Amino acid sequence: MSTDTFRQLLTEVGSLLPFQEVVEFEEGPSWLAAFEEETFVVLDWLDEPRRVVLHADIGMLASEEKARLAMLERIARYNAAWRETGSLRIGLDPDGTLTLLLDLPQAGLDAAWLCGVLR
């Protein structure tokens, strides 16, 4: 799949899902899909290995130490349950933002599959 084909795929998916808009970043190939209620998913095209990484901010890590440790433990347990979550994982940005991530192989990616993931 090429980035041009993926652009067409996003257009097709956008007609099937309640996207408010899809914006391609200039420094891409990356796209921001905006849904209703301020929900955003970023789709990053990566060549090696060939995949599309979907990610969305889901909150901030607690600042209080006890709550922070409890959250980190839950995140570690969630990440360890990759079989049950379909390989979803949670990452932690340097500023404390929690990000939900999913890698999709480019091979075989189609509108139905991407719609199912984004729902």
Side-chain angles (χ1 to χ4, degrees), residues 2 4 10-11 13-14 17 29 33-34 51 58 79 81-82 102 117:
S2 68
D4 288 335
L10 283 177
T11 300
V13 169
L17 293 178
R51 67 192 189 279
I58 57 171
N79 288 343
W82 59 270
L102 178 65
V117 168

Side-chain angles (χ1 to χ4, degrees), residues 59-72 92 95-98:
M60 296 294 292
L61 190 61
S63 58
E64 191 272 319
E65 186 176 354
K66 187 174 180 179
R68 183 182 196 89
L69 289 173
M71 285 179 79
L72 290 170
L92 176 62
D95 68 354
T97 302
L98 300 170

Side-chain angles (χ1 to χ4, degrees), residues 9-80:
L9 178 67
L10 283 177
T11 300
E12 184 180 346
V13 169
S15 69
L16 300 170
L17 293 178
F19 286 154
Q20 287 183 334
E21 69 178 319
V22 176
V23 177
E24 186 170 357
F25 293 114
E26 288 183 21
E27 64 274 353
S30 294
W31 295 262
L32 174 77
F35 291 86
E36 296 176 16
E37 301 176 20
E38 298 185 21
T39 301
F40 304 98
V41 176
V42 176
L43 301 98
D44 290 326
W45 178 273
L46 299 173
D47 288 324
E48 290 299 323
R50 297 188 65 77
R51 67 192 189 279
V52 176
V53 180
L54 284 65
H55 52 98
D57 294 347
I58 57 171
M60 296 294 292
L61 190 61
S63 58
E64 191 272 319
E65 186 176 354
K66 187 174 180 179
R68 183 182 196 89
L69 289 173
M71 285 179 79
L72 290 170
E73 181 179 338
R74 284 191 296 265
I75 290 167
R77 289 175 193 259
Y78 183 87
N79 288 343

